[in-house]
């Protein structure tokens, strides 16, 4: 028998179904052009196969101007931020938890979620 052609083996089946069955919100992740604090969210979004805008500012030691212009408009004056259909979420672990839950990659219970954190 031929393999099932609709299944994408690059993402978990549960995440595949979730992204196919509903309209996904517009996502914009903003952070410096570094891995650091935004990388867990980027990896989760990549694993889930989610399209998002990855806005990267120059590292502050390379060019401080873009960060200084943006900083007063960020929650707590910090990055990363995730904009979800116009609503802004801050704090790297909060963002990672949100994208995991939204894409079917979170734990099945509180203990599994704690182990993932």
């Amino acid at each position: 028998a031929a393999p099932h052609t609709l299944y994408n083996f690059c993402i978990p089946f549960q995440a595949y179904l979730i992204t196919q069955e509903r309209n996904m919100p517009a996502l914009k992740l903003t952070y410096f052009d570094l891995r650091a604090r935004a990388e867990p969210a980027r990896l989760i979004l990549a694993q889930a196969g989610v399209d998002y805008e990855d806005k990267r500012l120059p590292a502050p030691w390379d060019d401080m101007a873009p960060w200084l212009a943006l900083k007063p408009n960020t929650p707590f004056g910090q990055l990363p931020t995730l904009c979800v259909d116009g609503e802004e979420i801050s704090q790297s672990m909060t963002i990672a938890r949100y994208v995991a839950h939204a894409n079917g990659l979170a734990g099945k219970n509180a203990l599994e979620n704690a182990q993932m954190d």
Side-chain angles (χ1 to χ4, degrees):
H4 194 294
T5 58
L6 293 177
Y7 182 75
N8 181 345
F9 287 95
C10 296
I11 60 175
F13 187 67
Q14 183 181 16
Y16 174 79
L17 289 177
I18 288 170
T19 57
Q20 298 302 310
E21 291 176 359
R22 65 176 192 188
N23 290 334
M24 296 303 292
L27 300 175
K28 178 175 151 185
L29 181 64
T30 304
Y31 192 62
F32 302 105
D33 192 14
L34 305 167
R35 284 183 259 180
R37 297 184 185 270
E39 199 64 12
R42 288 180 185 136
L43 291 170
I44 294 166
L45 289 164
Q47 177 67 29
V50 173
D51 288 328
Y52 69 101
E53 181 183 346
D54 190 5
K55 181 178 178 186
R56 296 185 184 219
L57 281 71
W61 53 83
D62 290 336
D63 184 3
M64 187 68 99
W67 168 232
L68 291 177
L70 180 63
K71 185 174 180 170
N73 302 317
T74 61
F76 310 114
Q78 298 176 343
L79 292 178
T81 61
L82 178 70
C83 188
V84 181
D85 284 340
E87 294 290 326
E88 199 157 54
I89 301 171
S90 62
Q91 299 295 313
S92 58
M93 287 307 298
T94 302
I95 293 168
R97 282 187 207 105
Y98 169 80
V99 296
H101 281 278
N103 294 288
L105 297 174
K108 295 179 192 119
N109 56 50
L111 179 60
E112 287 182 4
N113 285 330
Q115 290 169 335
M116 289 178 2
D117 285 349

